[in-house]
């Protein structure tokens, strides 16, 4: 009497196929179970991947990975699937899986199609069909992507679920939600006084109570470009809550994830100082020191937040950092503005030369089409122009205008005004004007800093 095969049922459906007849998970499971019982197979398990495309890498198919683990434990003799496209549409992953199955004497079978993986001819047919399925998936994906890209380019949403907090969908377009519009505007106004998402969240919670947005919604206000009215290359996707310059400022500001514990005042330079050894942010800490009179003095210092990093770490006093910045900022800003002005006068191709470069490329095309230049000359010149165009479009050249906020912050008697600020506003001041502060590896002292410009 032959051994009764131990079979596993594998079912899969991708998101877009959820509602198609015959492809639902229950329908697949029912058909496979009936087939197994009719052929006297022992079902040892059912493995499912819901909402996962067969073109996705294997690491995303949790059900398949669990199935292969049981195959490796020699618990399964046969795998049943409804069709080949439920099993795989990816040749590479199929071959990896097939090698595992052969090693453990396990084979697979489709109940609606006839495939034989035990012969060379059968394997050839399977690979051909997988190639066809894979190409079909890729073409479908390209068509869907093209449609979605077009919709975004004309300001249409791709799904009703695309309406993020503060917006609603009207006639396939995003419009501001009047019910919460004032809360979002208030959130941005508060953020630009402290440059802290965490502080903004608690501010809204205290002011609006149960009507305040959740922490995740507040966090997305500062990470989703939709609130600046843009979607990828479309800068007029919807009505914005903030300007593009403000969005660029938010993305540039490094928000520290190290928070002050208890009722202490914040660390002024938190997240601004970069470790020259590992690149991590420096974090602040308080050091207590006993005085001879029995009192206690507290010093605020900064060190690398990578406590597990095996490198030398400079410990910097907050007082020394503040003194350095107050002494060097004005001279450094004057120097940068002078360098920008010099570079503008000595630059051959500027950012706004892209139109002229495209015109020259069009002229070159016409000359080649009329036979007035050789193919070799055409290729050489076109390559040169193409490279210049690429540089012109990707390299953002600083200008005095891009430093307007920094110039405004460090104008007049700014130092006197700064010294009158409390620590919360001092922290906001530096975060709104300075991108990072560098430390010299050799001397363990501050060696420079970079300004935050309006250059996106």
């Amino acid at each position: 009497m032959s051994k009764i095969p131990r079979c596993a049922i594998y079912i899969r459906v991708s998101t877009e196929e959820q509602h198609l007849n015959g492809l639902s998970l229950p329908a697949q499971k029912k058909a496979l179970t009936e087939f197994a019982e009719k052929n006297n197979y022992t079902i040892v398990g059912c493995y499912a991947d819901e909402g996962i495309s067969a073109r996705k890498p294997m690491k995303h198919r949790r059900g398949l990975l669990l199935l292969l683990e049981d195959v490796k434990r020699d618990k399964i003799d046969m795998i049943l699937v409804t069709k080949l496209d439920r099993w795989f549409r990816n040749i590479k992953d199929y071959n990896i899986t097939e090698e595992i199955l052969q090693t453990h004497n396990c084979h697979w079978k489709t109940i609606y199609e006839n495939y034989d993986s035990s012969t060379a001819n059968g394997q050839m047919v399977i690979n051909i069909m997988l190639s066809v399925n894979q190409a079909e998936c890729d073409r479908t994906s390209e068509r869907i992507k093209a449609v979605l890209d077009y919709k975004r380019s004309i300001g249409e949403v791709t799904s009703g679920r695309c309406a993020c907090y503060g917006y609603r969908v009207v006639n396939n377009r995003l419009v501001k939600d009047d019910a919460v519009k004032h809360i979002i505007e208030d959130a941005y106004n508060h953020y630009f006084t402290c440059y802290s998402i965490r502080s903004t969240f608690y501010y809204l919670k205290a002011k609006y109570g149960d009507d305040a947005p959740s922490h995740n919604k507040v966090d997305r206000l500062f990470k989703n470009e939709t609130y600046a009215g843009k979607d990828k290359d479309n800068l007029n996707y919807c009505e914005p809550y903030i300007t593009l310059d403000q969005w660029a400022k938010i993305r540039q500001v490094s928000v520290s994830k190290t928070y002050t514990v208890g009722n202490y005042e914040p660390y002024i330079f938190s997240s601004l100082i970069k470790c020259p050894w590992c690149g991590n942010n420096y974090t602040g800490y308080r050091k207590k020191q006993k005085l001879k009179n029995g009192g206690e003095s507290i010093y605020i210092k900064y060190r690398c937040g990578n406590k597990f990093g095996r490198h030398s770490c400079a410990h910097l006093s907050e007082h020394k950092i503040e003194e350095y910045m107050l002494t060097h900022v004005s001279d450094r800003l004057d120097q940068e503005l002078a360098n920008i002005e010099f570079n503008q006068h000595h630059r051959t191709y500027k950012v706004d030369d892209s139109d002229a470069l495209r015109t020259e490329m069009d002229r070159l095309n016409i000359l080649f089409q009329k036979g007035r230049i050789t193919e070799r000359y055409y290729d050489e010149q076109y390559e040169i122009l193409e490279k210049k165009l690429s540089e012109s479009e990707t390299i953002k050249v600083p200008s005095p205008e891009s430093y307007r906020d920094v110039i405004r912050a460090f104008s007049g008697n700014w130092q006197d005004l700064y010294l009158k600020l409390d620590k919360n506003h001092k922290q906001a001041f530096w975060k709104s004007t300075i991108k990072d502060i560098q430390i010299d590896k050799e001397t363990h002292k501050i060696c420079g800093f970079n300004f935050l410009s309006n250059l996106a």
Side-chain angles (χ1 to χ4, degrees), residues 162-413:
C162 289
C164 48
Y165 177 72
Y167 288 99
R168 56 193 181 91
V169 178
V170 178
N171 296 326
N172 288 329
R173 296 181 184 275
L174 289 182
V175 297
K176 289 183 177 180
D177 186 351
D178 292 334
V180 296
K181 174 182 175 182
H182 63 290
I183 298 178
I184 295 179
E185 291 173 345
D186 197 7
Y188 283 120
N189 288 335
H190 179 80
Y191 173 82
F192 286 113
T193 66
C194 63
Y195 291 91
S196 169
I197 297 176
R198 187 169 183 262
S199 172
T200 302
F201 168 72
Y202 286 118
Y203 165 78
L204 296 176
K205 194 69 176 174
K207 184 173 182 178
Y208 297 100
D210 294 338
D211 293 330
S214 66
H215 189 279
N216 286 337
K217 287 180 179 178
V218 174
D219 191 55
R220 283 195 289 271
L221 290 178
F222 305 95
K223 294 181 179 178
N224 189 341
E225 62 182 8
T226 302
Y227 293 100
K230 70 187 293 281
D231 183 89
K232 296 183 179 179
D233 295 331
N234 186 357
L235 302 182
N236 299 297
Y237 179 64
C238 63
E239 186 181 359
Y241 278 97
I242 54 176
T243 67
L244 292 173
D245 282 346
Q246 287 175 319
W247 170 251
K249 175 79 74 175
I250 289 172
R251 301 317 302 152
Q252 286 175 323
V253 172
S254 175
V255 180
S256 174
K257 294 189 177 181
T258 318
Y259 305 119
T260 306
V261 179
N263 297 319
Y264 288 124
E265 293 179 317
Y267 300 113
I268 298 176
F269 299 99
S270 179
S271 80
L272 290 178
I273 308 168
K274 302 299 178 183
C275 177
W277 293 273
C278 69
N280 274 21
N281 290 334
Y282 264 44
T283 57
Y285 70 98
R286 285 171 166 78
K287 184 177 180 180
K288 297 180 181 180
Q289 184 174 336
K290 294 290 184 180
L291 301 177
K292 292 181 179 180
N293 60 8
E296 189 178 67
S297 179
I298 298 177
Y299 298 92
I300 297 178
K301 292 192 173 185
Y302 294 81
R303 61 188 169 195
C304 178
N306 182 11
K307 62 180 68 176
F308 301 107
R310 297 182 178 277
H311 58 68
S312 176
C313 177
H315 291 237
L316 303 175
S317 162
E318 185 171 87
H319 171 71
K320 292 293 184 182
I321 301 171
E322 191 173 35
E323 184 179 301
Y324 179 92
M325 298 301 293
L326 290 172
T327 303
H328 292 82
V329 161
S330 295
D331 290 342
R332 174 64 182 276
L333 181 58
D334 290 341
Q335 180 184 347
E336 286 204 17
L337 293 175
N339 289 338
I340 290 171
E341 185 176 356
F342 176 83
N343 290 333
Q344 282 186 325
H345 287 298
H346 292 79
R347 182 175 170 83
T348 305
Y349 281 93
K350 299 180 182 178
V351 172
D352 58 3
D353 285 335
S354 57
D355 290 340
L357 289 167
R358 289 194 183 93
T359 301
E360 181 63 19
M361 292 168 78
D362 291 338
R363 189 184 72 84
L364 197 66
N365 285 331
I366 294 173
L367 290 175
F368 178 69
Q369 291 168 3
K370 290 183 176 181
R372 295 179 181 176
I373 56 176
T374 65
E375 183 176 354
R376 180 178 179 181
Y377 179 81
Y378 169 78
D379 289 339
E380 290 175 351
Q381 295 302 310
Y382 197 89
E383 184 178 350
I384 292 172
L385 292 172
E386 200 169 36
K387 183 177 179 180
K388 289 179 178 179
L389 178 62
S390 177
E391 292 175 351
S392 174
E393 292 179 334
T394 57
I395 297 176
K396 303 292 185 180
V397 180
S399 65
E401 176 63 19
S402 66
Y403 277 72
R404 65 179 182 275
D405 291 343
V406 176
I407 294 171
R408 189 182 301 116
F410 296 114
S411 62
N413 60 335

Side-chain angles (χ1 to χ4, degrees), residues 15-29:
T15 304
E16 64 270 18
E17 297 164 334
Q18 294 281 351
H19 304 293
L20 296 181
N21 293 330
L23 288 178
S24 68
L25 294 182
Q28 292 180 56
K29 184 177 181 179

